[in-house]
Amino acid sequence: MSLRSPLARVRGLGSAKDGTSHWWAQRLTALALIPLTVWFCISVIAMSGADYVTVATWAGSPLVGGLLILLIVATFYHGALGLQVVIEDYVHREMVKLVMLLVVKATSLVLALTGILSVLILLFSRT
Amino acid sequence: MISSNRPLSPHLQVYRPQITSTLSILHRLTGVALALGTLLLTYWLIAAASGPEAFADAQGLIGSILGRLVLFGWTFALFFHLCNGIRHLAWDAGYGFEIETTTRSGWVVVGASVVLTLVCWVAGYVAMAGA
Ligand code: HEM
């Protein structure tokens, strides 16, 4: 049984041969996010009500800074892959879909870079 | 056009909501909500990198009633998506497909995300009282 409709077959739509790597990257980032988000939540909760110096010193240590950067990369990678699937499921006008996919990827990239650079600033301005 | 023997998605107008279908769409909704929440996370990091005044502004915003409400919703979304994500990963590894098991694991996810959310907020307020 083929999962492609006759119309899709006529139009030549179907596998673009990169579904597996998308699927795999979504699971790998999900796996990485389990310990990273749990660690982040515990850390932030422990610092509830703490002052600026405490938070800045925490975020600016090499270990914490590194973990924060990993969290940022995994989150935005996982989120962009996930939003892509949602858009592909619901948006069927080709031009609108294309624009939305580009906006999601560009926004994720800019936000991820902004976050990483903020962590680096905290790391290098540590006193 | 012959396409009748292809698998179909449930017809939502006539499909009775069940724990499995409800949690399925909730996973998607919380995923999108968490993606929106990354804006807040990035803002918080920028503020921390910009210095004490900017950081105090951010903490004030997040600590307001509205900020706390958003953060509470975000905590629940995260824990639900995390727990149900583990359920998804188990399926991906080939475990837990029996109907009885999916129903049971679904309720475990609901319970665990509620408990984890409450534990986090109680711990947060306790830490704040000690700070
Ligand atoms: C905390 C650890 C996390 C785990 C274990 C996890 C797990 C997963 C898994 C397994 C999927 C695929 C579900 C499927 O097969 O349909 C998924 C989808 C998704 N995740 Fe996560 N996730 C996590 C955190 C996040 C975060 C922080 C975000 C926000 C950026 C996010 C956004 C999404 C989105 C938008 C989808 C697509 C939803 C869909 O296709 O219906 N996830 N997640």
Side-chain angles (χ1 to χ4, degrees):
Chain A
M1 181 181 70
S2 167
L3 292 180
R4 285 163 74 191
S5 67
L7 186 60
R9 201 169 310 135
V10 166
R11 286 189 181 151
L13 297 174
S15 168
K17 303 266 188 316
D18 71 355
T20 315
S21 64
H22 182 287
W23 186 91
W24 187 235
Q26 178 107 50
R27 314 299 128 164
L28 274 189
T29 50
L31 217 52
L33 279 169
I34 298 174
L36 286 170
T37 51
V38 169
W39 160 78
F40 181 74
C41 287
I42 293 177
S43 310
V44 170
I45 289 168
M47 288 188 303
S48 315
D51 58 9
Y52 175 73
V53 178
T54 312
V55 179
T57 313
W58 170 78
S61 86
L63 178 63
V64 172
L67 287 174
L68 282 175
I69 290 173
L70 281 180
L71 173 71
I72 292 166
V73 171
T75 299
F76 283 103
Y77 194 9
H78 179 90
L81 291 172
L83 290 179
Q84 177 186 346
V85 177
V86 177
I87 292 170
E88 287 170 347
D89 277 355
Y90 300 134
V91 183
H92 299 304
R93 284 184 46 200
E94 209 53 44
M95 207 51 200
V96 181
K97 180 167 81 181
L98 189 68
V99 170
M100 286 180 77
L101 289 174
L102 287 175
V103 167
V104 161
K105 297 210 162 139
T107 313
S108 306
L109 207 58
V110 170
L111 288 175
L113 276 174
T114 308
I116 292 170
L117 292 175
S118 301
V119 173
L120 289 181
I121 289 176
L122 285 165
L123 182 69
F124 291 122
S125 63
R126 199 153 89 114
T127 41
Chain B
M1 199 161 54
I2 315 145
S3 55
S4 53
N5 64 346
R6 286 187 299 140
L8 291 175
S9 299
H11 218 285
L12 290 179
Q13 287 87 348
V14 295
Y15 196 77
R16 183 171 58 84
Q18 297 163 32
I19 179 80
T20 40
S21 57
T22 307
L23 296 195
S24 170
I25 192 61
L26 254 186
H27 192 78
R28 176 157 280 192
L29 286 177
T30 51
V32 174
L34 288 171
L36 287 175
T38 59
L39 287 170
L40 189 66
L41 176 70
T42 311
Y43 165 63
W44 188 72
L45 286 170
I46 297 174
S50 308
E53 294 90 41
F55 189 69
D57 286 347
Q59 294 291 76
L61 198 72
I62 295 169
S64 68
I65 299 285
L66 189 64
R68 280 175 207 221
L69 267 175
V70 171
L71 206 58
F72 187 82
W74 186 86
T75 318
F76 178 75
L78 177 68
F79 282 125
F80 174 81
H81 193 93
L82 170 70
C83 296
N84 202 49
I86 294 173
R87 185 164 167 253
H88 262 286
L89 291 173
W91 287 331
D92 293 336
Y95 300 105
F97 280 115
E98 291 73 26
I99 293 196
E100 244 175 77
T101 319
T102 49
T103 304
R104 197 156 3 98
S105 63
W107 285 111
V108 170
V109 162
V110 172
S113 23
V114 169
V115 168
L116 286 170
T117 305
L118 294 178
V119 166
C120 272
W121 278 77
V122 170
Y125 277 107
V126 168
M128 216 142 78

